[in-house]
Amino acid sequence: MIPDGSVDLIVTDPPYLMNYRSNRRVATEKFRHIANDKDATALISQYLAECQRIMKADTAIYVFCSWHHIDFFKAEFEKHFKLKNLIVWSKNVHGTGDLRGAYGPKHELVLYGHKGRSLLRGKRCPDVIDCAKVPSSKLTHPTEKPTELLRLFIRNSSDPGAVVFDGFGGTGSLCEAALVEGRNFIVFEIDREYVETANKRLDSLQLLQN
Ligand SMILES: C[S@@+](CC[C@H](N)C(=O)[O-])C[C@H]1O[C@@H](n2cnc3c(N)ncnc32)[C@H](O)[C@@H]1O
């Protein structure tokens, strides 16, 4: 329902198609499984096509993903966008996984590209970005992204007043980042509880700003 060519920037965090469940949380069940985090390749393919449709000419898109399905995400991304960087988000701490058989996972990936050509604002950044994770005690979503990182992408690739889009909003990290940076947002989320958490988060943020 979003009109063609109406969005200034996409910073999106789709399900990584990993059936994600943190080892640390299985016992406590703090979080549910993420919707569409398994066998949803058709959804991601359709989604990226829709992203291309709703973006204005000469705008940018950032798509979070992990190395596990990078082949799929990169191939789908390149059907619609000019890939400019595979950004590495380097976290302050590493995760768990195969404790004795694999290196500790400490990064996630972000496909960055253009519809047409988009120029970066401000000082040029390297393609490896250090940014701390949201501490476990403060997480409201199992794969919540730090607003500092989202704010950096928003500042680098849009102007104040721009409309930023994410079809997979979780508990509203992108909404908060957009508001703080003086941008507008359109964000979808399928899980009602996450939407409620996001709305509360935005209510308290607006109280702080008033
Ligand atoms: C990787 S998480 C996003 C986390 C978010 N960036 C944050 O910081 O809270 C992906 C989200 O997409 C949602 N989702 C899955 N399928 C969806 C769909 N078809 N439409 C909207 N949201 C969907 C999941 O419920 C999940 O919250």
Side-chain angles (χ1 to χ4, degrees):
M1 292 167 65
I2 299 178
D4 296 359
S6 58
V7 162
D8 297 289
L9 169 66
I10 296 185
V11 180
T12 190
D13 186 21
Y16 286 7
L17 307 180
M18 290 174 62
N19 202 20
Y20 177 86
R21 189 160 210 175
S22 163
N23 289 341
R24 291 197 178 124
R25 290 203 188 81
V26 170
T28 57
E29 294 286 354
K30 180 175 173 186
F31 295 115
R32 296 178 303 290
H33 272 193
I34 295 170
N36 289 316
D37 198 25
K38 203 181 165 202
D39 306 331
T41 50
L43 173 73
I44 300 295
S45 302
Q46 287 166 21
Y47 175 70
L48 290 176
E50 284 294 284
C51 284
Q52 201 274 351
R53 181 186 66 75
I54 66 172
M55 287 165 69
K56 291 182 184 169
D58 300 324
T59 54
I61 177 167
Y62 296 77
V63 180
F64 281 88
C65 58
S66 80
W67 63 268
H68 301 82
H69 295 294
I70 187 62
D71 322 53
F72 167 74
F73 276 92
K74 180 172 176 288
E76 290 302 311
F77 187 96
E78 289 188 292
K79 285 182 187 169
H80 307 289
F81 307 106
K82 171 78 183 151
L83 180 63
K84 300 299 289 186
N85 292 105
L86 186 54
I87 295 172
V88 174
W89 167 30
S90 173
K91 305 185 232 184
N92 53 327
V93 286
H94 65 76
T96 49
D98 181 352
L99 294 179
R100 300 198 63 200
Y103 293 81
K106 197 169 172 279
H107 77 283
E108 292 181 33
L109 299 171
V110 185
L111 293 154
Y112 162 67
H114 300 165
K115 173 178 175 175
R117 176 160 169 80
S118 171
L119 299 184
L120 290 162
R121 283 72 164 168
K123 201 169 150 248
R124 197 173 189 213
C125 296
D127 62 0
V128 177
I129 301 174
D130 294 315
C131 185
K133 287 175 64 176
V134 180
S136 300
S137 59
K138 294 203 171 148
L139 279 177
T140 59
H141 185 288
T143 63
E144 187 170 340
K145 299 299 177 289
T147 51
E148 295 75 18
L149 183 61
L150 303 172
R151 287 176 60 189
L152 180 77
F153 293 155
I154 289 172
R155 283 197 305 276
N156 282 347
S157 296
S158 72
D159 300 312
V163 175
V164 186
F165 175 80
D166 183 6
F168 299 102
T171 49
S173 52
L174 184 78
C175 309
E176 175 175 333
L179 268 188
V180 172
E181 292 297 337
R183 271 64 167 178
N184 302 294
F185 60 82
I186 301 171
V187 167
F188 300 163
E189 169 54 51
I190 205 170
D191 186 312
R192 231 168 241 287
E193 282 186 33
Y194 291 151
V195 173
E196 281 169 21
T197 306
N199 282 333
K200 283 185 197 146
R201 173 184 197 158
L202 295 179
D203 285 346
S204 55
L205 189 74
Q206 281 173 337
L207 282 177
L208 282 178
Q209 285 187 335
N210 287 337

